[in-house]
Each structure stands twice: as C-alpha cells, then as structure tokens.
C-alpha cells in the first residue's frame, strides 16, 4: 500500500520539502516524450540547469562533491564509491562498509548518503545486499536484504559521522527521515525516471532507494521516524520563511 505525503502540521514543519518539489516538478502533468508539456515546465528546465551546473561541470562537481567525498574517505579509511547519476538531482555516494564472498554469492554492507540539488535536504541509509553470479559469470542477480534507516547497531557510528560531516559542509541542510522519503506524492513525475508513481525520495534524490524494480517490500530496521526532531516547530506562532538554494550557493 502506498502512503501519500502526510505529517502532523501542528508539530512538524515538512512544508519546505513540499514547496521545493512543487517549485521544480509539474505535479499532475504526465511525462510522455521530450516534446510534452512536462519538459516545458519552467521548474523542470531550472532544475535541469542546476543539475548540469553541479554535476556535468567537472570543476563545480569536484569543488562541491568530489573533494568532500575524497576527504571523507581519507578520514574513515574505507572505500567510498560515487553513485551520482547524471540526470538525478543529487550528489550521492556509498561507503563499502563490509564485503564477503562465498562461492557464487557476494554479501555487502553499504552506507548510502545523498545531498539534494532540489533544496537543503540530505539523507543517509544502510543497505545489506546479496548478489548471486552464475558460474559462467555472464549473469548475476542482486537483491536488497534489509535497509537500516537510523544509527543502529553496526551502522551507528558511521551513520552519525557522515551526518556530522554533511551538515558541516552543507550549511543549513537537514536530514529527511525514511518515513517521509517513502511517501508518494500524487501526480508526481520526475525527469530521470520513466515511471508513473514516485516517492518524495525520488523527487529529492535519486532512484537507488525506491523505484518500480525496488518496491517498498524490503525489510527495514531502525527508527523510521529518526530525524523528525529536526523538523519540530519550536514556536507554532512563528511564520517560518524558507529560501531554497542549490548547494553551490548554500555552502559558500
């Protein structure tokens, strides 16, 4: 069952996430082909320009993300693999926390982290996966066994460290909880995925956590609502004002 975008507005202020998505995505307009109205929406064009500037421009990419990824790898002493996808609106990478091979099976523990280009948002999650490779090596099959969505057991220290380093580098960026990431927004289409239903995560980040080939049937451990405390309304009487900036402006 798909959960629509919802939260308690008397206690939490997740509206900046909704407003950022509404700014860049034409909600309710079908994504057909390159000539469709979807691709002519001003927000889609603006987001494409942000992606090109931050990801396709190698000078900007290395300054903003490549240098961060390199310094983090040196600090933690574990391999970090870049997962930034050229069309998705985010920087992303994973820490190869553990790798074990037994016969035709490879078992991996990864910690994924991604920083949005849509607005001042980021998220972190652990993934344990198993890959089976046929004897001739021509085909392999991979499945996610479990997702870890908060600092939990073997992921605790690394999870918290990466959060600290992201928030130190990307000022005023906030962690998006798994319970929000997994929600769907009715009528949301994204530029880089040709699928009819998309999650908040798909809009803000990329395709690696949720898409039609990786439905929300994976086992999850940890606290789904971890990070909600960062979105609590301190004074409900205050009218919060938010300015959405791409990373190249927000951290400078």
């Amino acid at each position: 069952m798909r959960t629509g975008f919802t939260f308690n507005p008397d206690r939490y202020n997740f509206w900046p996430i909704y407003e950022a998505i509404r700014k860049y995505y034409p909600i309710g307009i079908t994504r057909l082909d390159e000539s469709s109205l979807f691709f002519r929406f001003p927000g889609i064009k603006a987001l494409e320009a942000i992606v090109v500037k931050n990801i396709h421009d190698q000078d900007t990419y290395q300054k903003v993300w490549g240098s961060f990824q390199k310094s983090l790898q040196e600090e933690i002493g574990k391999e970090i693999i870049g997962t930034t996808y050229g069309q998705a609106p985010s920087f992303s990478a994973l820490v190869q926390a553990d790798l074990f091979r037994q016969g035709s099976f490879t078992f991996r523990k990864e910690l994924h982290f991604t920083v949005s280009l849509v607005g001042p948002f980021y998220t972190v999650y652990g993934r344990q996966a198993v890959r089976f490779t046929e004897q001739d090596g021509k085909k392999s099959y991979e499945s996610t066994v479990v997702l870890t969505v908060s600092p939990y057991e073997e992921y605790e220290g690394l999870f918290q460290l990466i959060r600290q380093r992201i928030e130190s580098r990307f000022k005023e960026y906030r962690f998006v909880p798994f319970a929000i990431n997994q929600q769907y927004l009715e009528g949301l289409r994204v530029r880089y995925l040709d699928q009819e239903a998309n999650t908040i995560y798909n809009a803000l980040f990329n395709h690696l956590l949720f898409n039609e080939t990786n439905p929300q049937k994976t086992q999850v451990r940890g606290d789904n609502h971890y990070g909600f405390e960062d979105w609590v309304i301190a004074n409900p009487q205050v009218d919060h004002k938010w300015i959405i900036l791409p990373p190249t402006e927000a951290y400078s």
Side-chain angles (χ1 to χ4, degrees):
M1 180 179 179
R2 292 171 176 165
T3 302
F5 183 57
T6 185
F7 62 94
N8 179 359
D10 296 323
R11 180 165 174 76
Y12 303 102
N13 182 22
F14 285 106
W15 289 119
I17 292 176
Y18 175 79
E19 293 297 338
I21 292 174
R22 189 176 69 168
K23 176 181 179 180
Y24 289 114
Y25 295 97
I27 307 299
I29 297 179
T30 301
R31 179 187 183 281
L32 297 173
D33 53 49
E34 293 292 333
S35 64
S36 70
L37 190 61
F38 176 92
F39 291 98
R40 300 191 180 193
F41 180 66
I44 283 290
K45 292 184 177 180
L47 184 56
E48 180 181 11
I50 292 173
V51 169
V52 169
K53 179 180 180 180
N54 284 274
I55 296 176
H56 297 271
D57 183 320
Q58 282 301 301
D59 289 340
T60 303
Y61 177 81
Q62 291 302 327
K63 178 183 177 182
V64 180
W65 189 248
S67 59
F68 174 74
Q69 187 174 303
K70 181 180 178 181
S71 65
L72 189 59
Q73 178 170 287
E74 291 173 351
E75 179 179 4
I76 66 177
K78 291 182 180 294
E79 182 183 10
I80 294 183
I81 301 171
T83 58
T84 301
Y85 172 58
Q87 299 301 319
S90 68
F91 299 118
S92 64
L94 65 87
V95 181
Q96 191 71 69
D98 196 12
L99 180 68
F100 173 69
R101 292 187 176 90
Q102 183 175 15
S104 299
F105 293 91
T106 302
F107 303 88
R108 294 201 314 275
K109 287 185 180 180
E110 308 164 340
L111 193 68
H112 291 249
F113 54 100
T114 176
V115 175
S116 182
L117 296 173
V118 175
F121 317 116
Y122 77 95
T123 201
V124 182
Y125 62 92
R127 175 178 181 259
Q128 292 178 240
V130 60
R131 175 181 289 269
F132 171 76
T133 303
E134 293 184 349
Q135 290 185 354
D136 59 10
K138 293 182 178 180
K139 289 185 179 180
S140 61
Y141 311 86
E142 183 168 315
S143 178
T144 299
V145 178
V146 64
L147 296 171
T148 303
V149 298
S150 66
Y152 184 78
E153 293 192 357
E154 75 274 22
Y155 286 102
E156 182 174 1
L158 189 56
F159 198 115
Q160 292 175 337
L161 174 64
I162 289 179
R163 281 205 61 184
Q164 292 168 4
R165 297 299 178 265
I166 289 176
E167 291 183 6
S168 176
R169 176 63 169 166
F170 298 90
K171 306 298 184 182
E172 306 301 325
Y173 275 54
R174 288 193 288 174
F175 180 88
V176 180
F178 182 82
I180 297 297
N181 276 324
Q182 70 176 344
Q183 295 177 3
Y184 285 82
L185 193 59
E186 185 69 29
L188 171 65
R189 309 290 189 275
V190 299
R191 190 183 191 284
Y192 67 96
L193 287 178
D194 186 13
Q195 58 188 40
E196 290 300 305
N198 293 278
T199 60
I200 298 298
Y201 178 91
N202 292 146
L204 298 182
F205 302 112
N206 55 42
H207 61 293
L208 297 178
L209 183 57
F210 301 120
N211 58 42
E212 290 180 347
T213 62
N214 181 24
Q216 298 179 43
K217 297 178 181 179
T218 304
Q219 294 294 311
V220 173
R221 63 176 185 161
D223 181 2
N224 288 7
H225 292 80
Y226 169 77
F228 264 59
E229 64 276 7
D230 295 339
W231 301 84
V232 171
I233 300 175
N235 183 353
Q237 302 305 314
V238 175
D239 182 18
H240 295 278
K241 302 296 183 182
W242 294 87
I243 301 176
I244 306 300
L245 296 175
T248 49
E249 297 179 51
Y251 80 87
S252 59

